[in-house]
Amino acid sequence: MLGWLPGGYGGVSTYAKSIDDVFYFIYYLTAFIFLLVTVLMVWFIVRYRVQDGDTRRATYTHGNNLLELTWTIIPAIVFVGIWFVSKTSWAEIKGQSPPPDVEVRVTAKQFGWGFAYPGPDKAFDTADDKTDKDTSTRELYVPVNKVVRVYLSSEDVIHSFFVPSFRLKQDAVPGRVIPVWFNVTKPGRYELPCAELCGPGHSGMISWVNVLSEAEYQAWVQKTWR
Ligand SMILES: [Cu+2]
């Protein structure tokens, strides 16, 4: 029951479990309220149905302060509870950007993703940068258990950088560079679709995040910058 989110419950990034907990909190809350309302509704339909020879009349009432206060205060408490649960996750993910071990530029364009790596000197816009013009950097390659900071931008319209298994989604907005970060705890190849309808080729706008073990990552660096 808890395993149907991408990457399973808790995903594959350090903050994914925190997102999943907010998700399930709201999910079970709405499931409970849905069942409560449905059961009551069915019970009322059966209990107060019209029967043969029925002479009962509906009674007219004008307001009930206790009832109205109850159905105002309980939802208010529920909403404050949702705010409280989600603000902790928000602070953990958006309220900070830990010092990065690896930095990469990601550029969205109709209809694909471009990745630019700063190379061994760790500085962008230098001779050793690698971009998607190089075959070995056409997808995103990052090491496992390291903080990766992505500088996200767009060349044309609004796109959305979405890695479901990381529980990471951020719009790419033309004219802006938006930093996002993640730290993945499990090596693998993770889907990176565009999550913002951006034109006729939107559904084909997909790439992959390759999260490599330390040894595999070093091998990829060797191959790419030899
Ligand atoms: Cu797009």
Side-chain angles (χ1 to χ4, degrees):
M1 190 63 205
L2 291 171
W4 48 268
L5 294 177
Y9 169 61
V12 297
S13 74
T14 49
Y15 50 64
K17 183 173 176 299
S18 164
I19 300 262
D20 287 7
D21 288 342
V22 175
F23 174 85
Y24 282 116
F25 175 72
I26 296 171
Y27 177 80
Y28 285 117
L29 195 69
T30 40
F32 169 74
I33 291 166
F34 170 75
L35 286 174
L36 184 73
V37 169
T38 308
V39 166
L40 277 176
M41 187 182 70
V42 170
W43 187 76
F44 271 77
I45 286 170
V46 174
R47 175 73 179 76
Y48 295 105
R49 70 192 185 280
V50 174
Q51 286 161 312
D52 282 349
D54 212 336
T55 55
R56 294 174 299 174
R57 308 284 299 178
T59 47
Y60 179 79
T61 68
H62 184 80
N64 181 323
N65 284 343
L66 181 67
L67 214 72
E68 284 167 27
L69 278 171
T70 308
W71 75 49
T72 306
I73 289 169
I74 290 178
I77 290 170
V78 167
F79 288 131
V80 170
I82 290 174
W83 166 79
F84 191 78
V85 169
S86 50
K87 90 173 184 40
T88 319
S89 300
W90 185 265
E92 183 187 344
I93 300 160
K94 301 282 185 184
Q96 59 157 352
S97 187
D101 299 305
V102 172
E103 294 177 294
V104 57
R105 281 180 180 162
V106 175
T107 309
K109 57 201 146 194
Q110 287 171 319
F111 298 95
W113 298 98
F115 307 103
Y117 301 83
D121 67 355
K122 301 198 173 208
F124 285 106
D125 301 315
T126 53
D128 67 347
D129 286 13
K130 293 281 183 197
T131 66
D132 50 319
K133 285 169 191 72
D134 304 285
T135 49
S136 62
T137 49
R138 230 161 245 163
E139 296 182 352
L140 185 52
Y141 294 88
V142 295
V144 73
N145 294 320
K146 292 273 193 279
V147 175
V148 178
R149 187 182 290 169
V150 168
Y151 298 97
L152 188 61
S153 60
S154 168
E155 277 182 13
D156 36 49
V157 300
I158 298 175
H159 301 270
S160 183
F161 181 82
F162 183 31
V163 192
S165 299
F166 302 178
R167 311 291 186 267
L168 170 61
K169 189 192 255 176
Q170 171 63 54
D171 276 9
V173 181
R176 288 184 62 184
V177 177
I178 300 173
V180 290
W181 70 276
F182 56 81
N183 183 347
V184 180
T185 53
K186 196 175 154 204
R189 187 170 149 86
Y190 301 105
E191 197 179 22
L192 161 57
C194 175
E196 181 71 55
L197 186 58
C198 56
H202 166 70
S203 62
M205 184 169 167
I206 187 166
S207 190
W208 297 88
V209 185
N210 299 278
V211 179
L212 309 177
S213 70
E214 191 55 43
E216 285 172 326
Y217 184 71
Q218 289 312 328
W220 173 77
V221 168
Q222 289 300 318
K223 186 182 75 175
T224 310
W225 279 278
R226 69 177 158 217

